[in-house]
Amino acid sequence: MQNEFSIKYKGPTRQIDGKYFVVASSALLLLFVFAAGLFAQTVSTTAAPRFRVGEKLSYSVAFENVKDAAYFETSVVSRGKLGGKDVVELRGRLKTYDIVSAAFSLIDERRTVFADPESGLPVMIERTLNDGVLPRETTENFITSPTTNFDLLTAVYILRNSGGNGSFPVQEDGETSILTAQAGRGEKIKTDSGEYDTSVSTITGPFLDARGIKQLRINFTLDDAKLPVLIQFKTARGTYRAQLTAIETILPDTAVDPVPTPTPVRTPVPAATPKPQPTPAPYVDNSPLLPELSFALGETLDYRITRGGRPAGTLRLAAASRKQLQSRDSLTLTAKITGVDQVNAALALGDLMTTVVNPDTLAPLQSEMKFGGTLKRLNQSVMFDSRSGTIMFGSSATVDAPVGTHTLLSLVYAMRSFNLRPSKDLGNPVNDTRVAVFWGDRPYVFTLRPEAADAITFEKQVIPAQLVTIVTGNPELDQLAIKVWLSTDDRRLPLRFSFGGYQADLTAVSNSFSN
């Protein structure tokens, strides 16, 4: 039996995909549609939800042809008292990693809900969000003022009793929505956790329509457990598919040691012949990148660098190669000074920045900077843990950062896939995009501020372009007033960079893998 639970509170907000949202809303929007049927069952006081203490359900989420885009899990941890009320402790975890496009935001959220075991309504909701530079915590307390709305996690368990039929109110971040589910045809489903007979429930409602979520369907098992084994839905970006991969029973610790029970001797049973597994296809170097990205493997961009209008050197950016690195599929991005036209302290021939990234998400795996001259102080090797977000640099230094934190070089390529729509009201830049970027010894939140499409003139040619101003939050970098001009076509080529007294203009585009 659990004792009283401790509570903390902080209230964070941030911006995602060019619009301001409460952080929890963005993370739990995915949990909303992934996590086992959140939208059915008419509220009833006669049918209490079944909370099976120790039950833990784990899911794997695929997006289009990316098999492991995210995972989430739900569990019933314990039953006890909170503020003198009987409660069950529910936990949920949602984390994205191999998202198909660099334009997606990475999410890492934990939620704990203490719910009334009879009504299923939340008594206390705690959230911990790890998708910013620092962890954030929020708390909603309904002990003295009970709520009549379910949150997303309690709705999971209410729905399972209904078998995917009905409607009810759910409240998230102050917004209350009525959603409806209707059970339909039967379907046999096979997942990593087993084979199930299920019924398909279709969920509709204005809450989903406003967020571009279409054809949301959930498969519930026909047995007494009514497990949600498969969740599918579509958006403008593509189709998501979440399937149940593991069912566990983890009983809580008890204060009294259990009495040993004699174990009967079983009659030996011959082991089953292992089922043959197909041989995985061999890895192929330099396979094409996903079409959702705005550049192709082998793309090479050459730039002329000037300072005060005078030639200073040449720069080459390249999506150089795609190979296995430590058994991981990896894309190597490079930026190299290929020529120096005048004596200067900043640029040196052969200056090189290399970032190895996940080919699907462009999230860095490792990075290295090798400079001469005055930039030599920036020389550094960095390793990124794509699961925990930990960044290792120097001889032994580490720092915690959001999963998917970029380097300057990976940001240049990733921003080409961002949805950089300018605000209609330039005095109210609500469409700024914020991105975590590692620089020096810590992550910073860079703000990308897009402007309306315009044009730039280069070598007497007028080229359509969009200006993006970057504010880094680092005084040293912000003194450089970094700006990028992107082409307005599908390739979103970086046509021009401006930093400090330097300007780099695109002079040639080629591909090392073209015939």
Side-chain angles (χ1 to χ4, degrees):
M1 186 74 68
Q2 295 280 333
N3 296 321
E4 297 292 316
F5 304 102
S6 62
I7 302 298
K8 301 178 181 178
Y9 175 78
K10 293 180 183 178
T13 60
R14 82 165 192 181
Q15 179 195 33
I16 295 178
D17 268 349
K19 295 182 179 178
Y20 286 101
F21 292 96
V22 174
V23 178
S25 176
S26 296
L28 285 174
L29 175 58
L30 289 180
L31 181 59
F32 203 174
V33 291
F34 290 160
L38 309 182
F39 314 132
Q41 161 127 1
T42 302
V43 178
S44 172
T45 58
T46 60
R50 297 182 182 180
F51 297 108
R52 300 174 176 86
V53 175
E55 180 193 72
K56 180 179 179 180
L57 306 180
S58 301
Y59 294 79
S60 176
V61 183
F63 174 75
E64 291 294 325
N65 59 345
V66 177
K67 295 182 179 179
D68 293 308
Y71 79 89
F72 71 88
E73 60 190 29
T74 63
S75 57
V76 185
V77 179
S78 64
R79 182 164 181 168
K81 295 253 183 211
L82 177 65
K85 296 179 179 290
D86 288 331
V87 295
V88 289
E89 181 183 3
L90 311 176
R91 292 182 186 173
R93 174 77 187 278
L94 172 65
K95 184 174 182 179
T96 62
Y97 31 88
D98 289 336
I99 300 298
V100 66
S101 170
F104 283 88
S105 298
L106 298 176
I107 298 166
D108 187 356
E109 176 172 348
R110 298 175 187 269
R111 173 178 288 210
T112 300
V113 178
F114 305 104
D116 185 311
E118 295 300 320
S119 68
L121 292 169
V123 176
M124 184 81 72
I125 303 172
E126 294 180 321
R127 305 174 193 171
T128 301
L129 304 135
N130 294 300
D131 53 357
V133 175
L134 296 174
R136 304 164 179 84
E137 297 179 351
T138 66
T139 298
E140 294 178 86
N141 189 334
F142 304 109
I143 294 178
T144 57
S145 299
T147 180
T148 58
N149 300 312
F150 297 96
D151 82 309
L152 300 182
L153 189 55
T154 53
V156 172
Y157 297 93
I158 293 294
L159 173 61
R160 287 171 57 180
N161 276 4
S162 77
N165 273 300
S167 62
F168 71 100
V170 60
Q171 185 174 22
E172 284 294 324
D173 304 313
E175 179 182 353
T176 301
S177 301
I178 302 296
L179 295 128
T180 303
Q182 183 175 1
R185 69 182 189 280
E187 191 173 54
K188 185 177 289 292
I189 295 294
K190 185 175 183 181
T191 75
D192 292 344
S193 60
E195 189 170 333
Y196 306 92
D197 292 318
T198 71
S199 64
V200 182
S201 180
T202 302
I203 296 92
T204 58
F207 183 91
L208 302 177
D209 297 337
R211 288 156 177 81
I213 299 172
K214 301 177 180 180
Q215 300 179 30
L216 174 58
R217 294 175 298 169
I218 303 171
N219 289 68
F220 294 95
T221 60
L222 298 178
D223 57 15
D224 186 57
K226 294 183 172 61
L227 295 171
V229 295
L230 181 64
I231 306 103
Q232 302 176 82
F233 68 96
K234 293 183 178 181
T235 69
R237 296 184 184 276
T239 300
Y240 290 84
R241 178 185 173 92
Q243 69 171 10
L244 182 66
T245 56
I247 307 169
E248 303 174 72
T249 300
I250 305 174
L251 296 179
D253 294 335
T254 59
V256 181
D257 293 334
V259 178
T261 302
T263 304
V265 178
R266 296 182 178 182
T267 303
V269 177
T273 303
K275 185 177 180 180
Q277 299 295 325
T279 302
Y283 182 85
V284 178
D285 287 346
N286 296 321
S287 57
L289 299 177
L290 293 170
E292 287 81 3
L293 299 177
S294 297
F295 62 94
L297 183 67
E299 179 193 76
T300 300
L301 307 177
D302 289 308
Y303 294 83
R304 177 179 302 164
I305 304 175
T306 57
R307 184 181 185 186
R310 300 180 60 188
T314 54
L315 168 70
R316 171 168 289 182
L317 302 182
S321 62
R322 181 178 185 177
K323 297 182 179 181
Q324 276 193 324
L325 177 65
Q326 298 177 350
S327 301
R328 294 184 299 186
D329 187 15
S330 305
L331 169 66
T332 299
L333 307 174
T334 61
K336 185 176 182 179
I337 297 297
T338 54
V340 177
D341 293 331
Q342 66 182 36
V343 177
N344 65 78
L347 303 181
L349 186 64
D351 281 352
L352 178 65
M353 182 184 298
T354 302
T355 300
V356 179
V357 302
N358 180 307
D360 296 337
T361 69
L362 304 187
L365 304 174
Q366 65 184 51
S367 179
E368 186 172 15
M369 292 190 292
K370 294 182 179 180
F371 297 117
T374 59
L375 297 181
K376 189 174 182 179
R377 60 187 176 84
L378 300 176
N379 289 351
Q380 185 181 54
S381 294
V382 185
M383 301 295 294
F384 297 80
D385 189 324
S386 60
R387 298 285 178 170
S388 68
T390 301
I391 299 176
M392 295 156 282
F393 58 96
S395 59
S396 59
T398 62
V399 64
D400 291 331
V403 174
T405 294
H406 281 285
T407 67
L408 287 179
L409 182 56
S410 66
L411 176 63
V412 168
Y413 282 88
M415 68 185 295
R416 296 170 62 179
S417 298
F418 289 171
N419 182 13
L420 298 174
R421 293 179 298 178
S423 299
K424 295 181 179 179
D425 180 3
L426 298 180
N428 182 26
V430 296
N431 279 3
D432 289 356
T433 295
R434 290 180 169 85
V435 186
V437 180
F438 180 77
W439 176 258
D441 60 358
R442 55 163 288 191
Y444 292 86
V445 177
F446 282 23
T447 300
L448 280 58
R449 179 161 297 173
E451 296 189 9
D454 198 351
I456 60 174
T457 301
F458 179 64
E459 293 186 345
K460 298 181 180 181
Q461 289 187 341
V462 178
I463 304 173
Q466 179 187 32
L467 169 61
V468 180
T469 301
I470 301 177
V471 179
T472 70
N474 176 287
E476 181 182 30
L477 291 178
D478 283 338
Q479 286 181 358
L480 302 178
I482 302 173
K483 297 180 180 180
V484 182
W485 284 261
L486 299 175
S487 68
T488 57
D489 59 12
D490 291 340
R491 294 184 299 173
R492 301 291 280 166
L493 290 168
L495 301 173
R496 173 178 290 169
F497 298 94
S498 175
F499 46 95
Y502 291 88
Q503 180 172 300
D505 289 290
L506 182 64
T507 59
V509 181
S510 59
N511 193 299
S512 58
F513 295 118
S514 298
N515 293 328

